Each structure stands twice: as structure tokens, then as C-alpha cells.
Amino acid sequence: MSPNQALSQALDQIRDDVRAAHAYPVANSAGMVKLDVMENPFRLPAELQAQLGQRLGAVAINRYPAEGTQRLAAALAAHAGMPAGCAITLGNGSDELITLLSMAVSKPGAVVLSPEPSFVMYEMSARYQGLKYVGVPLRADFELDVEAMLAAVKQHRPALIYLAYPNNPTGNLWDADVIEQIIQAAPGLVVMDEAYQPFAERDSMAWLSRYPQLLVMRTMSKFGLAGVRIGYLIGQQALVAEIDKLRPPFNISVLNAEAGLFALEHAEVYAAQAAELRAQREILFAALQAMPGVQPFPSQGNMILTRVPDAPATFAALKARGVLVKNSSAAHPMLRNCLRITVGTAQENQALLAAMKESL
Ligand SMILES: Cc1ncc(COP(=O)(O)O)c(C=O)c1O
């Protein structure tokens, strides 16, 4: 058999849906003002960088991860205020936890449900696991459509419901009463995805004691460690134990665990960064709102979804001026002409606003 035939036969073994799919796009951002994926723009102060370097240098990288992962899990549980009776498991980012959740509920005919537009990985992960995905449109003001959600829950009996709180890309925190109605109606698991919790004024941790079917998922990414890849999932011990069985045993590297622990030991530095970003969000919101033809949507995250007259043109013009945002226009009909702008430093936001004035 020729090498070409062998390769072609090998490719024929790959699932048709995988071959038809596109890889998750990661934009080239070298040298740009990077306001596209909700990263924390601040780095550690130089002195802490040096201390972290020392700590990482001393880690036994010849060993598989063991106690370090447990220590990080305990530190995250304390940091998040995990309620009594609950347990925690860690993922290589919350992306991995979403994959594990899809695997866990992947029985024939099982349904995953989420309002939309929301985080794209819920659908992508469900489909790759052979699950049916049902998206329920938000209202025009991006609030949950309570009747539509309850009707969809009744009709599809979802094994798993995701509620991003605050939502990505819309940035808002949905009505708490409506969420409770959905949780009460849910026949399966409900995951509150709190990736943007450091920037929000409410969270759902207290509901864990009331609703055993609930899981709260958080990440260290938006907190300031997107490059480190640590997500965590908190819920009833019995439920978390099942998800934990699917976790690759060494999914958190010893270096990641040490960096995560170090960050939590300096949580006050990150808390100050989050406070600065919340303040910058309000300044940026007001400046965007003052621009003719520009409609920013109120946000409890570190991004502002913003409608402009012609999003593809504005996106391209911003990019030409060295500012990278996310063009969300094509992601969902409700996001027509919307850009998702990550809140940056005061300087970055000024650069964005100056470029925006020339790009509308
Ligand atoms: C709502 C939501 N959940 C989860 C994630 C994934 O985060 P992580 O970096 O922990 O994989 C994101 C990333 O943007 C997100 O917006």
C-alpha cells in the first residue's frame, strides 16, 4: 500500500463530524492590544514573579502530580467558600470539566440544554460526545426567557443544563428567581458556570446547600491565570465523585498546581486587579455609550458586548489599528453587529476608544 493510501485509510477511521469541523480558532495577537478573550491584562509584580520562579524551580517535576493537586484543591475550596458536605474536583481549565460532564451524562438519547447565545463549548462538547444539544434563545434584552426555558426543560428532560452566571458573551447576570425556577424544574444536573465570578456582584455558591443537583464551576483563568489552566467544580460529594472518575489522573501538572497555590497565597493582589477591572468596566461602558451609534450592554463580567452599525467593518478597522476584539456577529442571530470587548487596563481601554472613534 502506498503512503498516500495508508494515510487516506487512517483518515477514513476518523468520525465524519470531526472531519467536517473546524478547530477552535486562536487569533494571532502578537503586538496587538489584546481585548478578545477576557484575559486579566495584569501580570504579577516583578518581585512576586521572581518568588514564583523560585517556587517553580524547586518543584519535583520528575514525579507525577500527587499531593500538590490535593493541596490546590483544598486551597481553592477555602478560597471559594465551599459549603460543608460538598466536594471539589479540578480540570485543566473549565473546558476540560465541560468535557468530563458531557462524558458523564452521555447515555443514549441524553440532552444537554443551555440558553443561547452562551459559551460555545457547551454545544461543541455535547455534540462530540454524541449528545443532543438544545439551545433556548434568550429574550431580546438577553434575560432568560422563563416560559421558553421551562417548556424546553419539560419537553426535552435534559440530563444537564448549563447556566453561565454571568453569561458569555452577553456579560449579564440572569434573574436569580428565574434560575431557581429552572433548577427546581430540572430533571438532571444543573451547572452554574461562574467563570466571571471575580467581576460579578452575585454568585450561586449558597444554592449548593439547597439543591443537590447543582454544581458550581469556576476557573482561575479570568482571575488572572488563563495560561496556567485550572478549573474547578464544586457540588455534592456523591455527584463530584462520579465526575472525578472520568478525570485523567494527572490532569493538573505539578507546575500548574504550584502556580495556582502561589496565586491563592497572594489572593489580595488578584482581588485588587479584579477591583480595578470592575472600575475600568464602568469607565469603558460610559465612554462607549457616549459614542453615536454604539450600544454597549451592561456587564457583570470583564467584557462588554457592544452593538455597532457594522461589526465586521469595525472589527477589521480596529485590527488594522492594532486592537484585537472579538467579532461575535456571526456566532448567533441575536448577536448581529456585536463586538465583544474585553476590559483592559486604563491605557488599553483608551487605545481601544481612540481606535474605535476612527473605526465606526
Ligand atoms: C462561560 C465560560 N466558561 C468557561 C470558560 C473556559 O474557561 P477555562 O479557561 O477555564 O477553560 C470560558 C472561557 O472563556 C467561559 O467564557
Side-chain angles (χ1 to χ4, degrees):
M1 193 192 307
S2 74
N4 274 349
Q5 276 173 324
L7 178 61
S8 164
Q9 276 190 20
L11 284 170
D12 282 345
Q13 304 310 313
I14 308 287
R15 282 162 37 178
D16 293 341
D17 59 331
V18 174
R19 293 193 70 183
H22 298 284
Y24 190 91
V26 178
N28 190 348
S29 60
M32 311 265 302
V33 175
K34 194 169 183 316
L35 303 176
D36 60 335
V37 286
M38 284 81 80
E39 291 149 329
N40 174 347
F42 299 110
R43 301 191 53 181
L44 280 173
E47 190 190 321
L48 291 183
Q49 284 184 21
Q51 282 181 31
L52 174 61
Q54 294 258 318
R55 285 272 293 268
L56 295 181
V59 169
I61 57 173
N62 55 319
R63 300 289 181 198
Y64 283 104
E67 293 80 11
T69 316
Q70 306 308 321
R71 286 212 314 277
L72 176 61
L76 281 169
H79 174 77
M82 181 170 90
C86 285
I88 181 168
T89 187
L90 307 187
N92 193 268
S94 26
D95 280 348
E96 185 179 51
L97 292 169
I98 293 169
T99 304
L100 301 185
L101 286 160
S102 300
M103 287 166 75
V105 301
S106 172
K107 293 186 185 182
V111 169
V112 170
L113 184 144
S114 167
E116 60 179 36
S118 190
F119 186 42
V120 291
M121 290 305 290
Y122 308 146
E123 175 172 7
M124 206 189 286
S125 170
R127 291 200 190 280
Y128 279 152
Q129 219 53 53
L131 293 156
K132 187 173 168 213
Y133 172 80
V134 174
V136 181
L138 293 171
R139 296 188 333 204
D141 62 357
F142 299 138
E143 259 300 335
L144 289 169
D145 182 335
V146 61
E147 284 83 24
M149 283 295 289
L150 292 176
V153 167
K154 200 168 167 194
Q155 182 188 347
H156 298 286
R157 311 293 297 159
L160 175 57
I161 299 174
Y162 285 104
L163 297 170
Y165 194 66
N167 189 36
N168 170 16
T170 57
N172 56 331
L173 273 175
W174 292 316
D175 186 308
D177 290 340
V178 173
I179 292 181
E180 286 206 79
Q181 287 185 54
I182 295 166
I183 298 171
Q184 284 161 8
L189 288 78
V190 180
V191 175
M192 299 299 297
D193 181 350
E194 296 192 343
Y196 301 96
Q197 175 272 333
F199 313 103
E201 58 195 22
R202 296 196 302 274
D203 66 67
S204 55
M205 196 60 77
W207 287 340
L208 281 175
S209 329
R210 240 179 297 160
Y211 301 113
Q213 70 274 45
L214 198 67
L215 292 162
V216 175
M217 184 166 72
R218 290 191 184 171
T219 175
M220 296 193 85
S221 293
K222 315 300 170 181
F223 175 86
L225 277 78
V228 176
R229 314 303 302 132
I230 294 169
Y232 53 110
L233 189 70
I234 294 178
Q236 292 299 312
Q237 283 169 2
L239 207 46
V240 171
E242 298 303 330
I243 311 296
D244 197 54
K245 289 179 193 168
L246 296 163
R247 184 175 62 83
F250 306 120
N251 64 335
I252 307 295
S253 91
V254 288
L255 295 173
N256 290 1
E258 196 65 24
L261 277 167
F262 184 83
L264 291 174
E265 286 164 23
H266 298 282
E268 74 292 346
V269 175
Y270 291 92
Q273 293 176 351
E276 167 65 8
L277 290 171
R278 289 193 299 267
Q280 286 300 326
R281 175 182 68 201
E282 302 316 314
I283 296 169
L284 181 58
F285 184 88
L288 288 168
Q289 204 170 31
M291 286 185 176
V294 175
Q295 185 194 5
F297 294 94
S299 170
Q300 290 278 308
N302 61 338
M303 74 298 229
I304 300 177
L305 190 74
T306 305
R307 183 159 281 138
V308 293
D310 183 347
T314 300
F315 170 79
L318 286 172
K319 199 169 167 193
R321 286 165 177 77
V323 178
L324 188 64
V325 298
K326 169 91 176 170
N327 177 11
S328 298
S329 284
H332 192 274
M334 291 179 75
L335 299 175
R336 199 173 38 86
N337 278 329
C338 284
L339 301 174
R340 190 191 64 195
I341 302 171
T342 300
V343 179
T345 63
Q347 248 181 347
E348 288 174 327
N349 298 338
Q350 284 310 317
L352 163 88
L353 290 166
M356 191 91 167
K357 287 192 180 115
E358 298 169 358
S359 303
L360 287 169

